[in-house]
Amino acid sequence: MKKLNFIFFITATAGVISFDLYKAAHASFTHDESYTYLHFVNTNIMDIISYFEPFTNNHILNTLLMKFSQALLGTSELTLRLPNILSHLLYMIFIFKLFDRYCNKYFILFFILLNANPFLLDFFSLARGYGIAIGLMTAGLYYYCRYIENQKIHNHILSLVLIGFASLANFTLLNIFLILILMHNLFQFIINRRPFSLKNLWKINRINVMIGFVFSMILYEPIRKIIKYKLIDFGGMEGFWHDTAGTLAHAFAYDVLYRDYMIVFFKMFFISFSVLFLLRIIKYFFKKNPVTLVQKFGLFFGLILFFLIDGTILQHYLLGTPYLELRFALFMYPLFIFMCCFLIADFMTDSYKYLKGGFIVLITATLFLHTGYAINTSSYFEWKYDMHTKEMLKDIDRVKPKECSQIKLGITWIFEPTVNFYKETLNLNWLSMVDRNGLKPEEHDYYYISPEDMNIIDTKNIEIIHCYPDFKNCLVRNNKKSIRKKKIQLKAINDNYICADSTLNHLIFANKEKAGLCETFSLIIYVNNKCAIRSYDDHYFCAELDHKNQLTTYVNYIAAWETFTLVELDGNFVAFKAVNGKYITIDEKTLQLFARSKIIGKREKFEIIIK
């Protein structure tokens, strides 16, 4: 059996790592990876560790390993993602070491269960900290299982050190570090029945204290800045089942045709084995015989999950922290599968083992087939929108005029890091640096744009270079910058000028008898009478699509809500229709402007004065 397990391990690991290498080398870099590279990788080591630029995108250990890999092997998608691929190798090695040692009869099934997840596989070929953290966590928990077996101090030390480093790759694993200390005390005083005393308490925890002190010194400054700047703002607020378990089930189901069925499958999987764990705890409690090693491991992983879930819920109610979602909660999945594996190994010794074995084989086959169908080498579930970014830039390079020395590309903010990553790493000197200020149609030679934003640009004077599948973004060329600009003032029916003063909470009123700076605007007219209105401080009229539909000047870019239809009326009068199909009107009492009128009446007409 051990020989067969080893052959399977070598073959499966070679196949999986080959897949990781190919995907890492060929898939476009993503938003978060690019942000890490642009803002952190090229800074000095102390700035990375100390969170000099405080932002949770900096997964400290991942950033340091990216920096080291770049220095050693150069800059490419593969070299920057290599630390996570090696972490996948680490993950699989310790799965082999754990189950070949303690459950070798079921190793092949357990190995498949721990790798057959398309969402999990994504993070072993991405330059983020999640894959590194899971690899180190698995190694650390293996060594603690060895400690449970033989009580050797070096195994305890290795487990804490490895999980401490895992928390440097993903701060959420600090919870695992603390829970491991708690579990160490529970196992010593309850399972191993050591007498409780202050002396024993110190003896049991002195290693925990020393290693905890070292990592607290390393993590003090990053954690302080995260708390100070309130950077823990990601996640959900509805509940653990909805936000954590629910989003993970959706992610594990991936983008497949039968996705709804897989979501139900994963939720039933979570529920059934959670109930099974509770039943086994009751059995262990009333069992007269000593708890076996496999049963201890089942308890160990199950209780880690139990305390992790309870801790998450308590943190939410006591501190208001959001529930973990999607990739932030991904490390819980291997913990859950480890628990399932040891529960399976335990209850397979009971009666009806062939029936139970068939059930486990069915679950494993379902996950294996689903993963084989869902995986791809071109995109990542949470950053699928970036899958064509590199290809799009190559297309611009191919079609741009040879004599053109500088190209301005119009994008929405979400593409900014990846476009700038490739501008820097591929030496695209012909491309101007892009920013996060949104689409400014009058300034760009090309656009990488979604169908929903097509109304912003001059569709009569564009040439579609290529439309990309999946997200249906299009690369278009602006053949003629046919945009008219006029300096204007607008007078309402009350004979007052429209005023956009940013000191008035960015609201817009018709309340000025004389026109000055705040009452003078730039009217930007596109084709088909589409227009935008820019205030003196370079902010745009925006029809807020809420229950009030009030006009504001909060934003400094043009998108759908900042685009209006200009309706020319008799004389010098005009009206403006917002994206919600309603006309701009004046509130009779407050004189504030709203986009909520269905018809053009007196309060919807404005005299336009061209300066």
Side-chain angles (χ1 to χ4, degrees):
M1 181 61 73
K2 282 186 172 288
K3 186 176 180 181
L4 177 63
N5 288 346
F6 183 73
I7 293 170
F8 175 84
F9 166 70
I10 293 297
T11 306
T13 300
V16 172
I17 294 298
S18 296
F19 171 81
D20 290 341
L21 288 167
Y22 184 87
K23 185 167 185 175
H26 290 85
S28 176
F29 232 48
T30 63
H31 180 284
D32 285 24
E33 294 176 293
S34 301
Y35 193 97
T36 299
Y37 178 84
L38 293 169
H39 292 266
F40 303 114
V41 169
N42 294 312
T43 60
N44 67 62
I45 291 173
M46 284 309 300
D47 284 351
I48 293 170
I49 295 172
S50 66
Y51 251 47
F52 180 78
E53 181 183 335
F55 190 43
T56 51
N57 179 277
N58 176 17
H59 299 171
I60 293 173
L61 186 58
N62 174 64
T63 306
L64 291 171
L65 291 173
M66 286 174 72
K67 187 179 185 71
F68 175 74
S69 185
Q70 179 192 40
L72 196 64
L73 302 170
T75 305
S76 70
E77 294 97 331
L78 178 58
T79 58
L80 294 171
R81 289 166 169 168
L82 187 59
N84 275 271
I85 298 172
L86 296 176
S87 296
H88 199 183
L89 180 61
L90 183 75
Y91 174 67
M92 290 187 287
I93 287 171
F94 280 95
I95 290 171
F96 172 74
K97 287 170 71 70
L98 183 65
F99 291 120
D100 189 59
R101 183 179 186 85
Y102 300 114
C103 309
N104 62 70
K105 284 200 300 184
Y106 311 109
F107 165 73
I108 294 175
L109 285 176
F110 294 169
F111 186 91
I112 294 171
L113 280 173
L114 280 155
N115 283 281
N117 186 315
F119 187 64
L120 175 67
L121 292 180
D122 272 357
F123 289 90
F124 288 118
S125 58
L126 274 168
R128 308 297 299 126
Y130 307 104
I132 296 170
I134 289 171
L136 289 168
M137 177 189 75
T138 302
L141 294 176
Y142 164 78
Y143 280 111
Y144 197 82
C145 287
R146 292 299 312 277
Y147 176 76
I148 292 172
E149 179 189 13
N150 58 28
Q151 297 292 300
K152 291 186 177 178
I153 298 298
H154 71 272
N155 287 323
H156 182 199
I157 294 170
L158 281 170
S159 67
L160 283 173
V161 169
L162 286 164
I163 292 176
F165 277 111
S167 67
L168 289 174
N170 181 2
F171 288 156
T172 52
L173 266 81
L174 280 170
N175 291 312
I176 301 294
F177 187 88
L178 296 173
I179 289 169
L180 185 61
I181 293 173
L182 173 63
M183 290 295 299
H184 181 67
N185 283 270
L186 287 176
F187 266 76
Q188 293 298 321
F189 289 120
I190 296 176
I191 304 297
N192 295 337
R193 304 182 182 226
R194 291 184 68 168
F196 183 82
S197 67
L198 289 177
K199 183 179 179 181
N200 279 341
L201 188 65
W202 167 247
K203 191 173 181 180
I204 286 167
N205 286 285
R206 60 188 176 185
I207 291 172
N208 299 334
V209 170
M210 287 185 285
I211 295 175
F213 176 78
V214 172
F215 280 102
S216 66
M217 291 297 98
I218 298 170
L219 287 166
Y220 171 77
E221 190 63 10
I223 298 299
R224 184 187 71 81
K225 288 180 178 176
I226 286 171
I227 295 170
K228 178 181 177 181
Y229 296 107
K230 299 178 180 179
L231 299 178
I232 309 175
D233 58 352
F234 44 81
M237 303 299 286
E238 294 194 35
F240 180 84
W241 179 251
H242 179 276
D243 296 321
T244 303
T247 59
L248 282 176
H250 279 75
F252 297 163
Y254 227 68
D255 286 326
V256 293
L257 296 173
Y258 52 90
R259 184 181 183 189
D260 291 343
Y261 297 104
M262 288 306 301
I263 291 171
V264 173
F265 171 85
F266 279 110
K267 287 183 176 180
M268 293 302 296
F269 186 29
F270 298 157
I271 292 170
S272 59
F273 274 89
S274 298
V275 171
L276 179 62
F277 172 69
L278 293 174
L279 293 174
R280 299 310 275 189
I281 283 183
I282 294 170
K283 181 179 178 180
Y284 300 154
F285 183 77
F286 289 105
K287 188 178 179 182
K288 294 180 181 179
N289 297 328
V291 177
T292 67
L293 199 56
V294 167
Q295 290 170 344
K296 284 183 180 179
F297 294 159
L299 279 171
F300 174 62
F301 286 104
L303 287 173
I304 287 177
L305 266 178
F306 174 79
F307 288 123
L308 185 60
I309 293 168
D310 283 0
T312 301
I313 295 169
L314 280 173
Q315 285 175 20
H316 174 75
Y317 283 105
L318 295 177
L319 305 175
T321 54
Y323 292 102
L324 299 175
E325 291 181 328
L326 295 167
R327 63 186 182 273
F328 305 109
L330 180 61
F331 70 98
M332 292 184 179
Y333 183 73
L335 290 172
F336 176 76
I337 298 297
F338 280 124
M339 178 195 76
C340 293
C341 291
F342 285 110
L343 288 177
I344 291 166
D346 180 28
F347 77 63
M348 285 295 282
T349 60
D350 298 341
S351 56
Y352 303 107
K353 65 180 181 180
Y354 292 110
L355 181 62
K356 295 172 182 176
F359 175 67
I360 300 306
V361 169
L362 180 62
I363 291 175
T364 306
T366 301
L367 291 175
F368 179 77
L369 292 172
H370 167 62
T371 303
Y373 182 82
I375 58 172
N376 67 83
T377 58
S378 58
S379 68
Y380 299 93
F381 180 79
E382 288 208 60
W383 296 275
K384 195 172 182 180
Y385 55 82
D386 254 329
M387 67 185 296
H388 297 296
T389 306
K390 184 178 182 181
E391 180 185 356
M392 175 270 299
L393 293 170
K394 288 182 178 179
D395 287 339
I396 296 178
D397 195 21
R398 175 175 53 83
V399 301
K400 70 178 178 64
K402 292 182 179 178
E403 66 276 6
C404 185
S405 60
Q406 203 70 50
I407 295 291
K408 292 183 178 180
L409 176 64
I411 56 163
T412 52
W413 68 271
I414 206 164
F415 298 108
E416 178 267 323
T418 307
V419 170
N420 284 331
F421 168 79
Y422 282 117
K423 170 181 167 53
E424 181 174 325
T425 58
L426 297 180
N427 296 315
L428 304 180
N429 298 321
W430 47 265
L431 180 65
S432 296
M433 189 76 74
V434 296
D435 57 37
R436 292 186 165 222
N437 295 331
L439 293 164
K440 295 181 179 179
E442 65 270 28
E443 296 182 5
H444 302 126
D445 303 294
Y446 292 84
Y447 309 101
Y448 187 48
I449 194 168
S450 66
E452 292 77 20
D453 290 327
M454 279 289 186
N455 67 326
I456 298 172
I457 62 177
D458 182 357
T459 54
K460 286 187 177 179
N461 292 286
I462 65 168
E463 175 188 354
I464 296 178
I465 305 300
H466 189 67
C467 282
Y468 303 91
D470 300 301
F471 269 76
K472 305 190 186 316
N473 290 325
C474 293
L475 172 63
V476 300
R477 177 161 44 205
N478 187 7
N479 287 331
K480 182 181 178 183
K481 297 180 181 178
S482 58
I483 298 172
R484 293 176 289 146
K485 293 184 187 178
K486 297 178 180 179
K487 285 287 184 183
I488 64 163
Q489 293 162 348
L490 294 170
K491 186 180 286 189
I493 191 65
N494 63 357
D495 212 32
N496 284 339
Y497 289 94
I498 304 300
C499 173
D501 188 345
S502 59
T503 63
L504 300 176
N505 202 23
H506 292 278
L507 301 177
I508 304 171
F509 295 88
N511 61 354
K512 295 294 182 181
E513 294 182 359
K514 294 182 180 180
L517 186 64
C518 296
E519 294 74 41
T520 303
F521 311 103
S522 294
L523 179 65
I524 304 165
I525 306 173
Y526 313 120
V527 294
N528 302 324
N529 280 348
K530 298 293 182 184
C531 70
I533 305 170
R534 185 168 63 204
S535 64
Y536 76 97
D537 58 353
D538 289 330
H539 285 67
Y540 294 87
F541 280 33
C542 173
E544 296 283 352
L545 296 186
D546 55 15
H547 67 286
K548 293 183 179 179
N549 297 125
Q550 60 186 347
L551 257 65
T552 67
T553 56
Y554 280 116
V555 298
N556 61 357
Y557 57 82
I558 302 171
W561 297 359
E562 293 74 42
T563 306
F564 301 88
T565 300
L566 177 66
V567 182
E568 298 184 35
L569 306 172
D570 293 338
N572 294 324
F573 288 90
V574 295
F576 299 94
K577 183 188 283 188
V579 70
N580 63 351
K582 304 292 180 66
Y583 294 95
I584 294 177
T585 188
I586 304 168
D587 185 273
E588 284 185 307
K589 294 181 180 179
T590 64
L591 303 183
Q592 186 180 344
L593 269 64
F594 296 86
R596 65 186 184 192
S597 179
K598 295 181 180 179
I599 60 171
I600 300 175
K602 290 182 179 180
R603 288 185 286 114
E604 291 73 43
K605 293 180 180 179
F606 300 91
E607 182 182 354
I608 186 167
I609 302 166
I610 300 173
K611 303 301 291 182

